[in-house]
Amino acid sequence: MDLGEKFMRKAIALSIKNIQKRGGPFGAVIVKNNKIIAYGTNHVTAHNDPTAHAEVIAIRKACHKLGTFDLSDCQIYSSCEPCPMCLGAIYWAHIDRLFYGNTKADARNIDFDDSFIYDEIALPPENRKLKSTQMLAEEAILAFRIWSETLDKTKY
């Protein structure tokens, strides 16, 4: 059996097992050097945390285990094509490769539809359903100026 298939089957098995625990049907594993270093399942309802998606939990565990926020040289295997939040987290973590089982269309077919988020992101803030108002921009920019001038910062 191909190692990639083994890792994907583990993500799928986690997604199925999580249903039995009354969680969402999503699982993810993070692999480095052909070894699983972390896994996650959906805990949105169990933890009352809308960010507790399988990929985010796996990323948090992997970062903790490796002692870094940079997961370069890692791959993620997800039972489903990631939602916008998880995809953003995967990019921010610098994960090298994404493999997924189900598509976002498959997720939409079982009432996990995040297409509205993709649609909203493309709109200017004033046209989004979530009313957004910029405030105190002149004061807020100070933090960015300080960051920009700081020489000993850790970039990420």
Short mmCIF file of all heavy atoms in Angstrom, two decimals, residues 26-57:
data_model
loop_
_atom_site.label_atom_id
_atom_site.label_comp_id
_atom_site.label_asym_id
_atom_site.label_seq_id
_atom_site.Cartn_x
_atom_site.Cartn_y
_atom_site.Cartn_z
N PHE A 26 -15.27 14.85 9.89
CA PHE A 26 -14.02 15.37 9.32
C PHE A 26 -12.83 14.90 10.14
O PHE A 26 -12.87 14.91 11.37
CB PHE A 26 -14.05 16.90 9.31
CG PHE A 26 -15.22 17.46 8.55
CD1 PHE A 26 -16.36 17.89 9.23
CD2 PHE A 26 -15.21 17.54 7.17
CE1 PHE A 26 -17.45 18.40 8.55
CE2 PHE A 26 -16.30 18.04 6.47
CZ PHE A 26 -17.43 18.47 7.16
N GLY A 27 -11.77 14.51 9.43
CA GLY A 27 -10.52 14.11 10.06
C GLY A 27 -9.34 14.59 9.24
O GLY A 27 -9.45 14.76 8.03
N ALA A 28 -8.22 14.81 9.91
CA ALA A 28 -7.01 15.27 9.22
C ALA A 28 -5.78 14.74 9.94
O ALA A 28 -5.78 14.59 11.16
CB ALA A 28 -6.97 16.80 9.18
N VAL A 29 -4.74 14.46 9.16
CA VAL A 29 -3.45 14.08 9.72
C VAL A 29 -2.36 14.93 9.07
O VAL A 29 -2.45 15.29 7.90
CB VAL A 29 -3.13 12.58 9.55
CG1 VAL A 29 -4.13 11.72 10.29
CG2 VAL A 29 -3.07 12.17 8.10
N ILE A 30 -1.36 15.24 9.86
CA ILE A 30 -0.19 15.97 9.35
C ILE A 30 0.99 15.02 9.40
O ILE A 30 1.22 14.34 10.41
CB ILE A 30 0.06 17.25 10.16
CG1 ILE A 30 -1.11 18.20 9.95
CG2 ILE A 30 1.39 17.90 9.74
CD1 ILE A 30 -1.02 19.52 10.66
N VAL A 31 1.70 15.01 8.30
CA VAL A 31 2.80 14.06 8.10
C VAL A 31 4.09 14.83 7.86
O VAL A 31 4.11 15.83 7.13
CB VAL A 31 2.49 13.15 6.88
CG1 VAL A 31 3.67 12.27 6.52
CG2 VAL A 31 1.25 12.31 7.15
N LYS A 32 5.16 14.36 8.48
CA LYS A 32 6.50 14.88 8.21
C LYS A 32 7.45 13.70 8.13
O LYS A 32 7.40 12.80 8.97
CB LYS A 32 6.95 15.84 9.32
CG LYS A 32 8.30 16.46 9.03
CD LYS A 32 8.63 17.56 10.01
CE LYS A 32 9.96 18.18 9.58
NZ LYS A 32 10.21 19.44 10.23
N ASN A 33 8.28 13.68 7.12
CA ASN A 33 9.22 12.58 6.91
C ASN A 33 8.53 11.22 6.92
O ASN A 33 8.99 10.27 7.55
CB ASN A 33 10.34 12.62 7.95
CG ASN A 33 11.15 13.89 7.87
OD1 ASN A 33 11.35 14.44 6.79
ND2 ASN A 33 11.60 14.39 9.02
N ASN A 34 7.38 11.16 6.26
CA ASN A 34 6.61 9.92 6.12
C ASN A 34 6.10 9.34 7.43
O ASN A 34 5.85 8.14 7.53
CB ASN A 34 7.40 8.86 5.35
CG ASN A 34 7.61 9.26 3.91
OD1 ASN A 34 6.70 9.81 3.29
ND2 ASN A 34 8.79 9.00 3.38
N LYS A 35 5.92 10.22 8.44
CA LYS A 35 5.37 9.78 9.72
C LYS A 35 4.28 10.75 10.13
O LYS A 35 4.43 11.97 10.00
CB LYS A 35 6.45 9.73 10.80
CG LYS A 35 7.47 8.65 10.56
CD LYS A 35 8.46 8.59 11.69
CE LYS A 35 9.46 7.48 11.36
NZ LYS A 35 10.61 7.46 12.23
N ILE A 36 3.21 10.21 10.68
CA ILE A 36 2.15 11.07 11.21
C ILE A 36 2.66 11.72 12.47
O ILE A 36 3.09 11.04 13.41
CB ILE A 36 0.86 10.26 11.49
CG1 ILE A 36 0.27 9.71 10.19
CG2 ILE A 36 -0.16 11.12 12.24
CD1 ILE A 36 -0.92 8.79 10.37
N ILE A 37 2.63 13.06 12.50
CA ILE A 37 3.08 13.76 13.69
C ILE A 37 1.92 14.34 14.49
O ILE A 37 2.08 14.68 15.66
CB ILE A 37 4.10 14.88 13.35
CG1 ILE A 37 3.51 15.87 12.38
CG2 ILE A 37 5.39 14.28 12.83
CD1 ILE A 37 4.33 17.14 12.26
N ALA A 38 0.75 14.47 13.82
CA ALA A 38 -0.41 15.00 14.53
C ALA A 38 -1.67 14.65 13.75
O ALA A 38 -1.62 14.41 12.55
CB ALA A 38 -0.31 16.52 14.69
N TYR A 39 -2.78 14.64 14.46
CA TYR A 39 -4.06 14.40 13.81
C TYR A 39 -5.11 15.27 14.49
O TYR A 39 -4.91 15.79 15.58
CB TYR A 39 -4.45 12.93 13.86
CG TYR A 39 -4.75 12.44 15.25
CD1 TYR A 39 -6.05 12.52 15.77
CD2 TYR A 39 -3.76 11.91 16.05
CE1 TYR A 39 -6.33 12.10 17.06
CE2 TYR A 39 -4.02 11.49 17.34
CZ TYR A 39 -5.31 11.58 17.83
OH TYR A 39 -5.58 11.18 19.10
N GLY A 40 -6.22 15.42 13.80
CA GLY A 40 -7.32 16.18 14.38
C GLY A 40 -8.65 15.69 13.84
O GLY A 40 -8.72 15.14 12.75
N THR A 41 -9.67 15.89 14.64
CA THR A 41 -11.05 15.64 14.21
C THR A 41 -11.87 16.87 14.56
O THR A 41 -11.44 17.72 15.33
CB THR A 41 -11.65 14.39 14.90
OG1 THR A 41 -11.53 14.53 16.31
CG2 THR A 41 -10.95 13.11 14.44
N ASN A 42 -13.03 16.95 13.99
CA ASN A 42 -13.89 18.11 14.19
C ASN A 42 -14.47 18.09 15.61
O ASN A 42 -15.07 17.11 16.03
CB ASN A 42 -15.01 18.07 13.15
CG ASN A 42 -15.92 19.26 13.24
OD1 ASN A 42 -16.72 19.34 14.15
ND2 ASN A 42 -15.80 20.17 12.29
N HIS A 43 -14.26 19.20 16.34
CA HIS A 43 -14.76 19.33 17.72
C HIS A 43 -15.60 20.58 17.90
O HIS A 43 -15.68 21.12 19.01
CB HIS A 43 -13.59 19.37 18.71
CG HIS A 43 -12.84 18.09 18.82
ND1 HIS A 43 -13.37 16.95 19.36
CD2 HIS A 43 -11.58 17.76 18.45
CE1 HIS A 43 -12.48 15.97 19.33
NE2 HIS A 43 -11.38 16.44 18.77
N VAL A 44 -16.22 21.05 16.83
CA VAL A 44 -17.01 22.28 16.91
C VAL A 44 -18.06 22.19 17.99
O VAL A 44 -18.14 23.04 18.88
CB VAL A 44 -17.64 22.62 15.54
CG1 VAL A 44 -18.64 23.75 15.66
CG2 VAL A 44 -16.55 22.98 14.53
N THR A 45 -18.88 21.16 17.95
CA THR A 45 -19.97 21.05 18.94
C THR A 45 -19.46 20.54 20.29
O THR A 45 -19.96 20.98 21.33
CB THR A 45 -21.10 20.15 18.41
OG1 THR A 45 -20.57 18.86 18.09
CG2 THR A 45 -21.74 20.75 17.17
N ALA A 46 -18.49 19.68 20.29
CA ALA A 46 -17.97 19.14 21.55
C ALA A 46 -17.31 20.23 22.40
O ALA A 46 -17.40 20.20 23.63
CB ALA A 46 -16.97 18.02 21.28
N HIS A 47 -16.65 21.19 21.74
CA HIS A 47 -15.95 22.24 22.47
C HIS A 47 -16.63 23.60 22.38
O HIS A 47 -16.09 24.58 22.89
CB HIS A 47 -14.52 22.38 21.94
CG HIS A 47 -13.66 21.19 22.19
ND1 HIS A 47 -12.45 20.99 21.56
CD2 HIS A 47 -13.82 20.10 22.98
CE1 HIS A 47 -11.91 19.87 21.96
NE2 HIS A 47 -12.72 19.29 22.83
N ASN A 48 -17.80 23.62 21.72
CA ASN A 48 -18.49 24.90 21.49
C ASN A 48 -17.51 25.93 20.90
O ASN A 48 -17.42 27.07 21.35
CB ASN A 48 -19.13 25.44 22.78
CG ASN A 48 -20.26 24.56 23.23
OD1 ASN A 48 -21.06 24.11 22.42
ND2 ASN A 48 -20.32 24.30 24.52
N ASP A 49 -16.79 25.48 19.89
CA ASP A 49 -15.75 26.30 19.27
C ASP A 49 -15.87 26.18 17.75
O ASP A 49 -15.52 25.16 17.18
CB ASP A 49 -14.37 25.81 19.73
CG ASP A 49 -13.22 26.58 19.12
OD1 ASP A 49 -13.43 27.45 18.24
OD2 ASP A 49 -12.07 26.31 19.53
N PRO A 50 -16.37 27.24 17.09
CA PRO A 50 -16.55 27.17 15.64
C PRO A 50 -15.24 27.06 14.86
O PRO A 50 -15.26 26.77 13.67
CB PRO A 50 -17.29 28.46 15.30
CG PRO A 50 -17.00 29.38 16.42
CD PRO A 50 -16.79 28.53 17.64
N THR A 51 -14.10 27.27 15.53
CA THR A 51 -12.81 27.13 14.84
C THR A 51 -12.19 25.75 15.04
O THR A 51 -11.10 25.48 14.52
CB THR A 51 -11.80 28.19 15.32
OG1 THR A 51 -11.43 27.94 16.68
CG2 THR A 51 -12.37 29.60 15.17
N ALA A 52 -12.85 24.88 15.77
CA ALA A 52 -12.28 23.57 16.11
C ALA A 52 -12.50 22.56 14.98
O ALA A 52 -13.05 21.48 15.18
CB ALA A 52 -12.85 23.06 17.43
N HIS A 53 -12.04 22.91 13.80
CA HIS A 53 -12.12 22.01 12.65
C HIS A 53 -10.93 21.04 12.70
O HIS A 53 -9.90 21.34 13.32
CB HIS A 53 -12.07 22.81 11.35
CG HIS A 53 -13.31 23.61 11.10
ND1 HIS A 53 -13.65 24.05 9.83
CD2 HIS A 53 -14.28 24.06 11.92
CE1 HIS A 53 -14.78 24.74 9.89
NE2 HIS A 53 -15.18 24.76 11.17
N ALA A 54 -11.06 19.92 12.03
CA ALA A 54 -10.04 18.88 12.07
C ALA A 54 -8.67 19.40 11.66
O ALA A 54 -7.65 19.12 12.32
CB ALA A 54 -10.46 17.71 11.17
N GLU A 55 -8.62 20.17 10.57
CA GLU A 55 -7.33 20.67 10.08
C GLU A 55 -6.69 21.63 11.08
O GLU A 55 -5.49 21.57 11.32
CB GLU A 55 -7.51 21.37 8.73
CG GLU A 55 -8.00 20.46 7.62
CD GLU A 55 -9.52 20.41 7.51
OE1 GLU A 55 -10.24 20.80 8.47
OE2 GLU A 55 -10.01 19.97 6.45
N VAL A 56 -7.49 22.52 11.65
CA VAL A 56 -6.96 23.50 12.62
C VAL A 56 -6.43 22.78 13.86
O VAL A 56 -5.35 23.10 14.36
CB VAL A 56 -8.03 24.55 12.98
CG1 VAL A 56 -7.57 25.42 14.14
CG2 VAL A 56 -8.36 25.41 11.76
N ILE A 57 -7.17 21.80 14.33
CA ILE A 57 -6.71 21.04 15.51
C ILE A 57 -5.42 20.29 15.19
O ILE A 57 -4.48 20.29 15.99
CB ILE A 57 -7.83 20.11 16.02
CG1 ILE A 57 -8.92 20.96 16.66
CG2 ILE A 57 -7.27 19.07 16.99
CD1 ILE A 57 -10.13 20.23 17.14
#
